[in-house]
Coordinates of all heavy atoms in Angstrom, one line a residue:
R237 N -21.0 -47.1 25.3 CA -22.3 -47.6 25.8 C -22.5 -47.3 27.3 O -23.6 -46.9 27.7 CB -22.4 -49.1 25.5 CG -23.8 -49.6 25.9 CD -23.9 -51.1 25.5 NE -24.2 -51.1 24.1 CZ -24.5 -52.3 23.5 NH1 -24.4 -53.5 24.1 NH2 -24.7 -52.3 22.2
Q238 N -21.4 -47.4 28.1 CA -21.5 -47.2 29.5 C -21.7 -45.7 29.8 O -22.3 -45.3 30.8 CB -20.3 -47.7 30.2 CG -20.2 -49.2 30.2 CD -18.8 -49.7 30.7 OE1 -18.0 -48.9 31.0 NE2 -18.6 -51.0 30.8
G239 N -21.2 -44.9 28.9 CA -21.3 -43.4 29.1 C -22.6 -42.7 28.7 O -22.7 -41.5 28.9
I240 N -23.5 -43.4 28.2 CA -24.8 -42.8 27.7 C -25.6 -42.4 29.0 O -25.8 -43.2 29.9 CB -25.7 -43.8 26.9 CG1 -24.9 -44.3 25.7 CG2 -27.0 -43.2 26.6 CD1 -24.7 -43.2 24.7
V241 N -25.9 -41.1 29.1 CA -26.6 -40.6 30.3 C -27.8 -39.8 29.9 O -27.8 -39.1 28.8 CB -25.7 -39.8 31.2 CG1 -24.7 -40.6 31.8 CG2 -25.1 -38.6 30.5
G242 N -28.8 -39.8 30.7 CA -30.0 -39.0 30.6 C -30.0 -38.1 31.8 O -30.1 -38.7 32.9
I243 N -30.0 -36.8 31.7 CA -30.0 -35.9 32.8 C -31.4 -35.3 32.9 O -31.8 -34.4 32.1 CB -28.9 -34.8 32.7 CG1 -27.5 -35.5 32.5 CG2 -29.0 -33.9 33.9 CD1 -26.4 -34.6 32.1
P244 N -32.2 -35.7 33.9 CA -33.6 -35.2 34.0 C -33.5 -33.8 34.7 O -32.8 -33.5 35.6 CB -34.3 -36.2 34.9 CG -33.2 -36.9 35.7 CD -31.9 -36.8 34.8
E245 N -34.4 -32.9 34.2 CA -34.7 -31.6 34.8 C -36.1 -31.6 35.2 O -36.8 -32.6 35.0 CB -34.3 -30.5 33.8 CG -32.8 -30.6 33.5 CD -32.4 -29.6 32.4 OE1 -33.2 -28.8 31.9 OE2 -31.2 -29.6 32.0
D246 N -36.6 -30.5 35.6 CA -38.1 -30.4 36.0 C -39.0 -30.8 34.8 O -39.9 -31.6 35.0 CB -38.4 -29.0 36.5 CG -38.0 -28.9 38.0 OD1 -37.6 -29.9 38.6 OD2 -38.0 -27.7 38.4
F247 N -38.7 -30.2 33.7 CA -39.6 -30.4 32.5 C -38.9 -30.8 31.2 O -39.4 -30.5 30.1 CB -40.4 -29.1 32.3 CG -41.2 -28.7 33.5 CD1 -40.9 -27.6 34.3 CD2 -42.4 -29.4 33.8 CE1 -41.6 -27.3 35.4 CE2 -43.2 -29.0 34.9 CZ -42.8 -28.0 35.7
A248 N -37.7 -31.4 31.4 CA -37.0 -31.8 30.2 C -36.0 -32.9 30.6 O -35.7 -33.1 31.8 CB -36.2 -30.6 29.6
V249 N -35.5 -33.6 29.6 CA -34.4 -34.6 29.8 C -33.3 -34.3 28.7 O -33.7 -34.2 27.5 CB -34.9 -36.0 29.7 CG1 -33.8 -37.0 29.9 CG2 -36.0 -36.3 30.7
E250 N -32.1 -34.3 29.1 CA -31.0 -34.0 28.2 C -30.2 -35.3 28.1 O -29.8 -35.8 29.1 CB -30.1 -32.9 28.5 CG -29.1 -32.6 27.5 CD -28.3 -31.3 27.9 OE1 -28.9 -30.4 28.5 OE2 -27.1 -31.3 27.7
F251 N -30.0 -35.9 26.9 CA -29.2 -37.1 26.7 C -27.8 -36.8 26.1 O -27.8 -35.9 25.3 CB -30.0 -38.1 25.8 CG -31.2 -38.6 26.3 CD1 -32.4 -38.0 26.0 CD2 -31.2 -39.5 27.3 CE1 -33.7 -38.5 26.5 CE2 -32.4 -40.0 27.8 CZ -33.6 -39.5 27.5
G252 N -26.9 -37.5 26.5 CA -25.5 -37.3 26.0 C -24.6 -38.4 26.4 O -25.0 -39.5 26.9
V253 N -23.3 -38.2 26.3 CA -22.3 -39.2 26.6 C -21.3 -38.5 27.5 O -20.8 -37.4 27.3 CB -21.5 -39.6 25.3 CG1 -20.5 -40.7 25.6 CG2 -22.5 -40.2 24.3
Q254 N -21.0 -39.2 28.6 CA -20.1 -38.7 29.6 C -18.9 -39.7 29.8 O -19.1 -40.9 29.4 CB -20.7 -38.5 31.0 CG -21.6 -37.4 31.0 CD -22.2 -37.1 32.4 OE1 -22.2 -38.0 33.2 NE2 -22.8 -36.0 32.6
G255 N -17.8 -39.2 30.3 CA -16.7 -40.2 30.5 C -15.8 -40.4 29.4 O -15.8 -39.6 28.4
P256 N -15.0 -41.5 29.4 CA -14.1 -41.8 28.4 C -14.6 -41.9 27.0 O -13.9 -41.7 26.0 CB -13.4 -43.1 28.8 CG -13.8 -43.3 30.2 CD -15.1 -42.5 30.4
G257 N -15.9 -42.3 26.9 CA -16.5 -42.5 25.5 C -17.0 -41.2 24.9 O -17.5 -41.2 23.8

Side-chain angles (χ1 to χ4, degrees):
R237 184 174 281 185
Q238 293 169 355
I240 302 293
V241 293
I243 301 168
E245 297 171 6
D246 281 347
F247 301 105
V249 180
E250 186 175 324
F251 295 101
V253 181
Q254 290 182 344

